[in-house]
Amino acid sequence: MTSRPVADRGSPGIAFHHPLAFWAGCALILAGVASHMPMFMMGRHTHWQMVGMPMDAWMLWGMAMIPAGVLLAGYGLMPRLAMMRESVHGSGHLHFHVADGVPLNREHWKLVAVLVIALAVDVMKPATLGFVMPGMSSEYSITRPTASVLALVALIGTTVGSIVWGRLADVFGRRAGILLSALMFIGTAICGAMPTFEWNLVMCFLMGASAGGMLPIAFTLMAETVPAAHRGWLLVALGGVGTSAGYLLAAGAAATLEPLFSWRVLWLLNMPTGLVILILNRYIPESPRFLSNAGLESQARAVLRKFSGNASTVEADDTRHPGAPALDDPHVVTGMRALLRGRHASITWGLVVCGVAWGLVNFGFVLWLPANLGQFGIDEARVNRLLAQSALLAVPGIALVVWLYHRWSSVRTLVLFIALTTLSLLAFFAIGVAGLRSETAVTIAIVALLVSVSGVIATMIPYAAEIYPVQLRGTGSGVIAASSKFGGILGAAVGVAGLFEHFQLSALVIALPMAASAVMLLRSGIETRGQGLEDIQDALAGR
């Protein structure tokens, strides 16, 4: 006898096939984290120094409970695949319309607020790396290069997580991916009680994997839920506000809590911040497009009614609303090979090249900028002041990015900021060749680079969330997000090889793939501003 799916009353359109398994998994994870707290509290007698302390039985049992809890919670979310297959084979594709023409309402704004919180929590995790490394290096008596391995492992984790979680979102659902990511956040809180550096590396990889997955899923859910007329600017604003809030949370927590409880408390915060997302899960609906594609008609209609505020919009057929985009995609695309070889291949490769080049700039060139500017006789204090002033001047640039993406063009805005990044790198190349020691010229170049680099990342992933079909949107967004992290890994590798010590050469070398991506996207990119997601797919199919 098969059990009937139990509806989640907090989020219309969602069914947990085994809700008890999901919540039992959550309880196991929380118990696993809690079992580390007695050991952590013992550290108050040693100024929170836990290096070399033996791991007791409670900690070992707790470490076993956390992965078991993640698997159990995942089982509670994922078995609805059988229900999806039954629905798809039983009723065929659905024929109804998404309320793309409705104005933003309270339900939309609640979703935006929750996703901003989720993204801020997501960004906060890797942002804490810079604040924990000094204390960690001191406690474990490791050198700075050894401590930097932590950041490298985190980048590898985010790269893997972006791809894996993006694919999971396409298979099991956007909401399921967000919840599993939050549970992994909670589980990695035990990093704050690890007595060895090696265990911190393991937990940092897992933290990076969960953080890397949250970002593309949040953009995917937003793109598939908000009306087409407001989708572009909300996606860009989501990234800008969420990222800024995440860095502010990390800095505030470090300033407030680290002096009291050492660097370890910044990892322990993974539990309460992950719990925030779990508590807010009732305000996170499943994507109506994902539900439609899975064949879950009644659940998809429930979500649409919630966001459209008009049941007739959901029930209408094509002849009554010819302008509304149909959910059916006649050009079904699935699998990673289809992403890189199908009709989206040219855009995907352009975005991947852009992401890798952006990672080289952000995690390579910019990080080495203070040391390289010192070669021009600018002392460290002046360099730090220049970078701080330039970052402040770059903040209004986010508003410009939002306005251009919403009012002018999505693809041309992305290409514009890619081109500006290329020109900024070439400006540094010219400054290096000419040996120019003008503080004004250097400031202008830094501001231009920070504004343009921020513009690229603010538009690249939102654009990726718009151009892929529903069957591949999470995967595509995850791959593009992963490419930017892979660029960071590559930047670390070439940094070790000494490329960034050659100021002019590194600027010129990175400018080349950045310029190449601009050309590729000019040739293959498609306009998405104000277009329904299904209309974008029809335009791509007609090429």
Side-chain angles (χ1 to χ4, degrees), residues 8 39 78 87 118 120 126 173 184 242 257 267 285 315 335 348 350 373 400 425 454 459 471 487 499 518:
D8 181 350
M39 183 101 170
M78 295 178 185
S87 180
M184 281 192 67
L257 299 176
W267 290 142
E315 303 297 337
T348 298
L373 290 178
L400 176 63
L425 291 169
S454 298
T459 54
Q471 301 92 343
L499 173 65

Side-chain angles (χ1 to χ4, degrees), residues 112-139:
V112 170
V114 172
L115 290 181
V116 166
I117 293 171
L119 197 57
V121 169
D122 175 70
V123 171
M124 180 184 176
K125 306 310 173 192
T128 55
L129 284 171
F131 298 103
V132 304
M133 280 201 286
M136 182 183 292
S137 300
S138 174
E139 180 172 346

Side-chain angles (χ1 to χ4, degrees), residues 70 78 155-174 176-178 180-181 184 205-206 208-217 220 336 339 471-483 485:
V70 171
M78 295 178 185
L155 275 175
I156 295 173
T158 57
T159 304
V160 174
S162 293
I163 297 174
V164 173
W165 246 254
R167 189 61 190 150
L168 284 175
D170 283 337
V171 175
F172 300 118
R174 288 51 166 133
I178 290 175
L180 285 175
S181 181
M184 281 192 67
F205 173 83
L206 295 175
S210 59
M214 180 73 79
L215 185 141
I217 301 175
T220 296
M336 190 69 70
L339 177 70
Q471 301 92 343
L472 209 58
R473 186 164 289 120
T475 305
S477 300
V479 167
I480 304 309
S483 69
K485 308 302 188 302

Side-chain angles (χ1 to χ4, degrees), residues 39-84:
M39 183 101 170
F40 175 75
M41 293 307 298
M42 288 173 61
R44 70 184 185 276
H45 303 297
T46 58
H47 304 288
W48 310 106
Q49 302 289 299
M50 300 178 63
V51 59
M53 292 178 66
M55 298 176 69
D56 60 22
W58 281 107
M59 291 183 71
L60 295 174
W61 276 107
M63 293 177 69
M65 284 191 283
I66 289 171
V70 171
L71 291 175
L72 187 58
Y75 171 74
L77 292 170
M78 295 178 185
R80 61 180 181 167
L81 273 180
M83 182 173 56
M84 293 176 181

